Amino acid sequence: MEETVIQIGGMTCQGCVSNITGILAALPGVASTTVSLAEGAAQVRFDPSVVARPALLAAVEEAGFDAA
């Protein structure tokens, strides 16, 4: 397992946090995710043999947020 931090732009409320948490948690290979509105970031623990970091970023961006 690996951990990464994704900086997320565009979150304005706890609804955004819930949305992003659900999107990331639903990806195959994601073991856990913690999204912080105050920090504007998500900490994701994932299996790199199943999902790559660019796919995590793409999932957040497809939901309408900025990810880096």
Side-chain angles (χ1 to χ4, degrees):
M1 290 289 178
E2 288 186 17
E3 285 193 19
T4 189
V5 174
I6 300 170
Q7 297 300 314
I8 301 173
M11 291 192 298
T12 58
C13 64
Q14 287 300 320
C16 296
V17 170
S18 295
N19 188 18
I20 293 169
T21 300
I23 288 166
L24 291 172
L27 292 174
V30 172
S32 66
T33 183
T34 304
V35 181
S36 170
L37 179 60
E39 294 178 17
Q43 184 172 6
V44 185
R45 189 165 182 248
F46 65 101
D47 182 346
S49 68
V50 178
V51 64
R53 188 174 192 278
L56 302 174
L57 298 174
V60 172
E61 290 173 349
E62 286 173 12
F65 300 93
D66 296 322

